[in-house]
Amino acid sequence: MVKLFLIYIDPGAGSMLVQVTIAGILGFLYTFRTYWLRILNFFKQKGEKISNDKKIGNKINNI
Amino acid sequence: MTRDPGSFRDPSGFIFQDQGVLFRQVNRSYKTQFDFLVSSGLYSELLERKYLIPHKEVSTALSDSDAFAVLKPELIEFISYPYEWCFEQLKDAALLVLKIQLLALNKGMILKDASAYNVQFHKSRPIWIDTLSFEIYDEGSIWVAYKQFCQHFFGPLCLMAFGDTRNALLLHSFIDGIPIDLTSNMLSWKTYFNLPVLSHIHAHSIGIRNYSSQPAAAHPTLIKKKSLVALVENLTSAIEELSVERKESEWLDYYTDNNYTDRGFDHKNALVKEFVNIVQPKMIWDFGANDGLMDREFSKAGIRTISFDRDHEAVQKNYITCKSEQSEFQLPLVLDLLNPSPGIGWNNKERKNLTGRGRPDLILSLALIHHLAISGNVPFKNIAEFFYEMSDWLIIEFVSPADNNFISISTHASSTILHQYTEENFEKSFSVFFKIVRVEKIIESKRSVYLFRKKDEVQPL
């Protein structure tokens, strides 16, 4: 929830809904991508390990 | 104590000046957040990465009962505004905000505002100047400054990248950033196929239009932290991919396609450097600086130099070179001297006009006077008076009517204006306000360099 007493700029009701929607979709996609990479890594037993260092999904997991 | 007229919106504190020194008051209402900023390690990390302006806590007497602490931030030599930045400057500033946001989230805080006016250029790189912009993050909270970020950064950058770099001048008219619906209307239909623009601008505009009348608290506003980070990452990658194509520029090839011979060009540079050495300035404002080639030498000598030019391409080239050469004392800015930045915002004082932001020790105006006098129709007397009010010293390169560049710009000028444009009239008008300290002809050219010093008393012309 938003702590409205902290806000001195107007976040805008429409803008908030858009933010929730976009962030929700992006969050889902990144989570999906992270698990997909894990599955790929699991099956690549001896092959090159996919480096997640540059992957955005990995950055998110570290936050 | 004088409170800064542009610092009144945030209830967490404000900027004030005391005996010419700049301070920031932290109010009691911000005590918890301020303490957490330090104890979480966010403050030290931001300093280490040079993302936030450093401050010292001082024991100055607190001015009112709301005060919790007084900070003395490191001084920014010249305050610039987003409508004076080239595309790369606005882009670097936007990416800085997003980097700060990620660091803050990592430390349990969040940016509560994302105003472009909270970014300044300091030592050739963008830096966040508002220490009170950090709020304690509660899991599930939205980013209240998301709309502000789109209005101040993402929207203007899209308008420049997909439209015209001059669109950034709209920031003059909208002090809280270009409205999302206006940005959406101005962008080409092709941008609907660009996913970040579609979501952060076009869909955003529809959401604002359809739900703006409802109170913010009426909607569910839960965002997982991972999703919030994904939003910031998405904006980051979208902005990183934005660029402006190099367009045909009026002035970009000035140094490679000009009216000087090699010897003439070297002679001009030597004269200007010699005159600058006489003045020994700490701060130079160079009007018509082009790509700032000469200013870089002053910057290397430790002289703070603001390189103004109205040509976006020239300023962009200047900024990119300054970054790569780490020209710390130089700041390139877009500014048209025929229409310099006005005071805007509340009472026209929230953001200052050009002359209200300091006083240079020396003004450089090299090969600009014929543009002001012929293209701009500004009489010599008015130009002299303008410079007189701004600085004690002035270096002008006068371009005579026999010069090829003068001939090319004067084709359509009226005969009255052309008749008045003589070196004799120029000296006569400037001598009302200034003493001629030195004047030298540039060899193998039709140009002269003047060093003027302000007169103590001015007699009417």
Side-chain angles (χ1 to χ4, degrees):
Chain A
M1 296 296 288
V2 187
K3 291 193 285 184
L4 288 175
F5 63 90
L6 296 174
I7 298 172
Y8 77 97
I9 57 171
D10 176 19
S15 180
M16 284 165 65
L17 275 182
V18 170
Q19 183 185 164
V20 170
T21 311
I22 297 172
I25 295 168
L26 289 171
F28 171 78
L29 288 175
Y30 284 135
T31 308
F32 178 80
R33 185 177 175 174
T34 308
Y35 282 106
W36 180 245
L37 288 172
R38 279 184 194 170
I39 292 164
L40 281 182
N41 270 333
F42 178 78
F43 285 108
K44 281 192 176 182
Q45 290 175 346
K46 283 192 173 180
E48 58 180 279
K49 191 186 170 192
I50 294 175
S51 169
N52 278 345
D53 292 350
K54 292 179 183 173
K55 304 290 181 192
I56 292 166
N58 200 45
K59 280 187 190 173
I60 297 164
N61 286 335
N62 292 335
I63 295 288
Chain B
M1 180 188 100
T2 317
R3 194 165 165 159
D4 187 290
S7 179
F8 59 87
R9 293 190 198 279
D10 188 354
S12 307
F14 58 88
I15 292 280
F16 66 92
Q17 280 200 15
D18 193 17
Q19 297 175 350
V21 183
L22 197 79
F23 296 99
R24 184 184 290 279
Q25 175 170 311
V26 185
N27 287 342
R28 288 187 188 284
S29 59
Y30 194 72
K31 179 182 184 305
T32 311
Q33 293 88 333
F34 186 73
D35 288 343
F36 191 78
L37 174 71
V38 177
S39 66
S40 65
L42 177 58
Y43 177 71
S44 57
E45 187 154 358
L46 289 169
L47 286 198
E48 196 180 313
R49 291 171 188 256
K50 296 182 178 167
Y51 289 174
L52 177 68
I53 196 81
H55 69 248
K56 283 180 185 166
E57 211 164 320
V58 292
S59 54
T60 305
L62 301 180
S63 58
D64 58 52
S65 56
D66 284 341
F68 156 66
V70 174
L71 315 177
K72 186 182 171 201
E74 197 174 302
L75 195 66
I76 304 282
E77 295 76 19
F78 183 85
I79 297 293
S80 61
Y81 298 132
Y83 39 82
E84 295 164 341
W85 299 343
C86 65
F87 177 82
E88 284 297 321
Q89 284 172 307
L90 188 61
K91 182 174 169 176
D92 283 351
L95 292 173
L96 171 81
V97 177
L98 296 172
K99 283 177 199 163
I100 292 173
Q101 174 75 322
L102 281 183
L103 276 179
L105 285 168
N106 204 17
K107 297 283 186 186
M109 299 199 87
I110 189 167
L111 276 174
K112 68 177 180 184
D113 50 42
S115 166
Y117 298 96
N118 280 342
V119 180
Q120 286 300 322
F121 283 85
H122 187 52
K123 297 179 181 172
S124 79
R125 53 189 294 164
I127 194 161
W128 189 261
I129 58 164
D130 189 354
T131 318
L132 313 186
S133 291
F134 300 90
E135 193 51 72
I136 295 169
Y137 173 72
D138 278 344
E139 181 69 38
S141 287
I142 64 153
W143 182 20
V144 293
Y146 168 67
K147 183 177 136 197
Q148 191 180 41
F149 181 84
C150 291
Q151 291 183 159
H152 282 239
F153 293 105
F154 190 60
L157 284 169
C158 288
L159 287 172
M160 292 172 93
F162 299 113
D164 194 303
T165 50
R166 288 170 294 185
N167 283 332
L169 294 174
L170 271 172
L171 290 162
H172 266 158
S173 304
F174 300 99
I175 195 163
D176 197 25
I178 304 170
I180 308 286
D181 62 327
L182 179 59
T183 304
S184 176
N185 288 341
M186 286 177 70
L187 286 171
S188 151
W189 60 270
K190 292 175 189 168
T191 58
Y192 278 81
F193 295 100
N194 180 312
L195 210 55
V197 183
L198 175 67
S199 39
H200 299 298
I201 300 293
H202 297 304
H204 200 167
S205 169
I206 293 167
I208 290 169
R209 191 170 62 224
N210 292 340
Y211 298 96
S212 58
S213 57
Q214 298 179 22
H219 295 286
T221 52
L222 191 73
I223 297 186
K224 285 183 179 174
K225 192 173 184 179
K226 281 187 179 182
S227 298
L228 198 55
V229 173
L231 182 84
V232 177
E233 290 283 1
N234 182 261
L235 281 166
T236 303
S237 58
I239 289 171
E240 277 172 346
E241 282 174 20
L242 291 177
S243 63
V244 284
E245 283 177 24
R246 188 186 147 170
K247 297 187 176 76
E248 286 297 313
S249 162
E250 196 178 358
W251 302 113
L252 199 54
D253 297 322
Y254 182 77
Y255 290 125
T256 50
D257 181 21
N258 57 41
N259 294 303
Y260 306 105
T261 60
D262 287 347
R263 283 185 66 219
F265 188 64
D266 290 344
H267 186 223
K268 170 190 162 171
N269 285 355
L271 282 174
V272 174
K273 276 185 221 164
E274 188 188 336
F275 289 1
V276 169
N277 269 335
I278 293 171
V279 180
Q280 294 282 313
K282 287 180 181 165
M283 166 81 86
I284 296 175
W285 288 7
D286 183 359
F287 295 112
N290 201 278
D291 64 5
L293 183 68
M294 186 169 276
D295 291 345
R296 257 181 298 289
E297 302 215 14
F298 304 135
S299 169
K300 280 175 192 160
I303 304 169
R304 310 256 173 220
T305 309
I306 318 294
S307 310
F308 297 102
D309 203 287
R310 74 172 185 177
D311 188 272
H312 177 274
E313 303 296 309
V315 175
Q316 174 107 325
K317 184 181 174 192
N318 192 357
Y319 174 67
I320 291 168
T321 314
C322 283
K323 262 201 332 181
S324 65
E325 293 184 10
Q326 295 182 325
S327 186
E328 287 198 355
F329 293 98
Q330 192 181 359
L331 175 60
L333 293 173
V334 180
L335 184 119
D336 182 0
L337 201 56
L338 289 167
N339 183 24
S341 305
I344 63 166
W346 179 248
N347 201 15
N348 290 113
K349 288 179 179 170
E350 211 174 331
R351 309 292 167 221
K352 292 174 183 164
N353 66 11
L354 173 68
T355 50
R357 280 180 271 163
R359 190 176 167 78
D361 304 307
L362 169 67
I363 287 175
L364 286 187
S365 171
L366 306 178
L368 181 74
I369 190 109
H370 57 311
H371 294 286
L372 299 176
I374 302 297
S375 309
N377 288 358
V378 185
F380 283 139
K381 178 186 170 289
N382 297 45
I383 301 170
E385 192 172 13
F386 176 73
F387 287 143
Y388 170 81
E389 286 168 5
M390 217 187 274
S391 180
D392 290 352
W393 290 89
L394 173 63
I395 295 176
I396 286 193
E397 179 185 357
F398 183 80
V399 176
S400 89
D403 185 276
N404 284 343
N405 187 261
F406 180 90
I407 293 165
S408 69
I409 70 158
S410 61
T411 315
H412 303 293
S414 80
S415 57
T416 317
I417 292 169
L418 288 177
H419 182 68
Q420 288 168 351
Y421 189 92
T422 64
E423 193 148 0
E424 189 189 348
N425 278 347
F426 164 74
E427 283 191 9
K428 193 178 161 193
S429 298
F430 273 73
S431 295
V432 175
F433 302 94
F434 295 95
K435 284 181 276 194
I436 300 174
V437 180
R438 287 274 300 275
V439 55
E440 298 284 346
K441 295 271 182 207
I442 300 172
I443 58 169
E444 298 173 7
S445 83
K446 306 277 192 297
R447 302 175 175 208
S448 307
V449 183
Y450 285 79
L451 173 63
F452 289 109
R453 184 173 194 171
K454 185 178 176 174
K455 280 184 175 173
D456 294 330
E457 285 182 26
V458 173
Q459 301 296 324
L461 191 62

